[in-house]
């Protein structure tokens, strides 16, 4: 029989500290970096589907995908987002605009990932 | 023989009740518009984890595994999809492993709140691992930082609730029945 304590034990605090530490390490490794020379890479099921150079983008680019789900992606100068999707959770649309290197928006049901890459994304190369 | 069958039947009934409770809780947490207060897409309270913690402490590991697997399957069939199933099953397994490890230290080092926090954090790590696996990319890990911080808050909440539930049930001496 396990004795239940209603109070926090020191192990709990240590665990919370550990999770915070893990979050910090994760932040350092995968931190979204400042936007210098950004390109949006759209991949579908891991294969590159389209690459858009976002810096100094003059016109608006709209990309449509009707394969598994009806998805609309819109890119404009320096940023990109999922406009709409008929997937069940719509996490991709709720993520909103992304613009910094390292940021990503994903629609897992459709297998589509938008990733912002730049020249400074060496940690990404390292971890692949 | 008869005694054994009685125990088995009790276990089946218990699992059934706990699965339905977990399913109701995963439905209820969909109704809570958490994204209004915290602007993080896909964030959940993890209320169904309370049932898993209860099963882990007062039934056994086997039932806890059965309950979370069936809950994941049913929740995906009722209000999810194949991807949401893959997410929740990988999260569920990661959190079960971590929670059972933390539970071992529950006598001396941890309280039930630690089990909640560890379970919630492991669930998010499992989910993000699955997302990176499905998308063949490590960039989804950039989202793990906020999820881990959020999991401390949700884990504290579910751990606290589980603690209160177990404490109250202990007082009523109803858990002797559940324990054997």
């Amino acid at each position: 029989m396990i004795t239940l304590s209603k109070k926090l034990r020191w192990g709990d605090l240590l665990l919370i500290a550990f999770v915070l530490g893990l979050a910090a390490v994760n932040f350092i490794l995968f931190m979204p970096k400042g936007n210098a020379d950004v390109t949006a890479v759209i991949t579908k099921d891991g294969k590159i589907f389209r690459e858009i150079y976002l810096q100094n983008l003059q016109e608006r680019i709209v990309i449509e995908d009707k394969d598994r789900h009806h998805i609309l992606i819109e890119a404009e100068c320096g940023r990109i987002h999922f406009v709409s999707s008929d997937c069940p959770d719509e996490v991709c649309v709720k993520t909103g605009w992304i613009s910094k290197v390292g940021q990503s928006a994903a629609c897992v049901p459709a297998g589509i990932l938008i990733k912002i890459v730049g020249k400074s994304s060496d940690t990404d190369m390292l971890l692949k | 023989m008869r005694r054994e069958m009685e125990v088995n039947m009790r276990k089946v009934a218990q699992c059934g009740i706990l699965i339905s409770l977990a399913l109701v809780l995963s439905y209820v947490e969909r109704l809570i518009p958490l994204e209004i207060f915290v602007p993080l897409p896909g964030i959940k309270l993890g209320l169904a984890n309370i049932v898993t913690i209860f099963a882990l402490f007062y039934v056994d590991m086997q039932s806890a595994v059965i309950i979370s697997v069936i809950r994941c399957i049913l929740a995906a069939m009722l209000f999810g999809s194949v991807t949401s199933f893959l997410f929740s099953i990988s999260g569920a397994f990661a959190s079960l492993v971590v929670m059972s490890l933390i539970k071992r230290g529950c006598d001396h080092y941890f309280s039930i709140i630690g089990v909640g926090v560890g379970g919630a954090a492991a669930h998010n790590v499992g989910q993000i691992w699955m997302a990176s696996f499905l998308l063949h990319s490590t960039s989804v890990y950039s989202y793990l930082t906020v999820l881990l911080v959020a999991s401390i808050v949700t884990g504290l909440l579910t751990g606290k609730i589980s603690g209160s539930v177990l404490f109250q049930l202990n007082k009523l001496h109803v858990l002797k029945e559940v324990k054997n």
Side-chain angles (χ1 to χ4, degrees), chain A residues 1-7 9 11-12, chain B residues 53 56-57 98-116 166:
Chain A
M1 188 71 187
I2 287 150
T3 44
L4 283 174
S5 81
K6 292 205 86 179
K7 282 186 194 137
R9 293 261 178 89
D12 299 331
Chain B
I53 294 173
L56 209 57
F57 273 80
V98 169
M99 287 196 300
S100 60
L101 287 175
I102 295 173
K103 190 200 142 195
R104 288 190 184 182
C106 243
D107 273 325
H108 306 291
Y109 314 116
F110 297 104
S111 75
I112 199 155
I113 295 170
V115 178
L166 292 176

Side-chain angles (χ1 to χ4, degrees), chain A residues 1 7 13-14 16 18 25-26 39 47 50-51 61 63 66 71 82 84 87 89 94 96 103-104 108 114 117-119:
Chain A
M1 188 71 187
K7 282 186 194 137
L13 298 174
L14 216 65
I16 291 170
F18 175 74
V25 168
N26 192 75
T39 304
K47 287 182 253 341
R50 181 103 187 245
E51 273 181 84
I61 297 176
I63 298 156
K66 289 181 184 171
I71 281 165
F82 279 96
S84 67
C87 63
D89 46 13
K94 286 173 194 160
Q103 277 188 323
S104 63
V108 183
I114 308 176
V117 294
K119 279 175 182 159

Side-chain angles (χ1 to χ4, degrees), chain A residues 20-31, chain B residues 128 140-146 148:
Chain A
L20 278 175
L22 205 65
V25 168
N26 192 75
F27 180 72
I28 293 162
L29 285 178
F30 298 97
M31 182 169 41
Chain B
I128 290 290
V140 275
Y141 280 101
S142 61
Y143 193 49
L144 186 61
T145 308
V146 272
L148 280 176

Side-chain angles (χ1 to χ4, degrees), chain B residues 46-165:
Chain B
L47 293 177
N49 205 29
I50 295 167
V51 179
T52 316
I53 294 173
F54 176 84
L56 209 57
F57 273 80
Y58 282 99
V59 194
D60 52 21
M61 183 67 188
Q62 191 197 5
S63 309
V65 172
I66 291 169
I67 289 164
S68 28
V69 169
I70 297 181
R71 196 249 312 161
C72 287
I73 295 171
L74 290 177
M77 281 167 81
L78 288 171
F79 24 74
S81 59
V82 180
T83 36
S84 76
F85 169 71
L86 290 174
F87 276 180
S88 53
I89 200 83
S90 59
F93 269 112
S95 75
L96 266 173
V97 170
V98 169
M99 287 196 300
S100 60
L101 287 175
I102 295 173
K103 190 200 142 195
R104 288 190 184 182
C106 243
D107 273 325
H108 306 291
Y109 314 116
F110 297 104
S111 75
I112 199 155
I113 295 170
V115 178
V117 173
H123 189 98
N124 286 326
V125 174
Q127 271 188 327
I128 290 290
W129 176 82
M130 183 53 92
S132 79
F133 177 76
L134 290 176
L135 292 164
H136 312 280
S137 167
T138 53
S139 60
V140 275
Y141 280 101
S142 61
Y143 193 49
L144 186 61
T145 308
V146 272
L147 281 183
L148 280 176
V149 175
S151 78
I152 294 173
V153 181
T154 59
L156 281 171
L157 184 78
T158 52
K160 186 81 193 152
I161 295 171
S162 313
S164 307
V165 167

Side-chain angles (χ1 to χ4, degrees), chain A residues 35-54:
Chain A
N35 49 345
D37 222 11
V38 291
T39 304
V41 178
I42 304 172
T43 55
K44 194 173 172 191
D45 300 321
K47 287 182 253 341
I48 291 174
F49 173 67
R50 181 103 187 245
E51 273 181 84
I52 303 166
Y53 186 64
L54 293 177

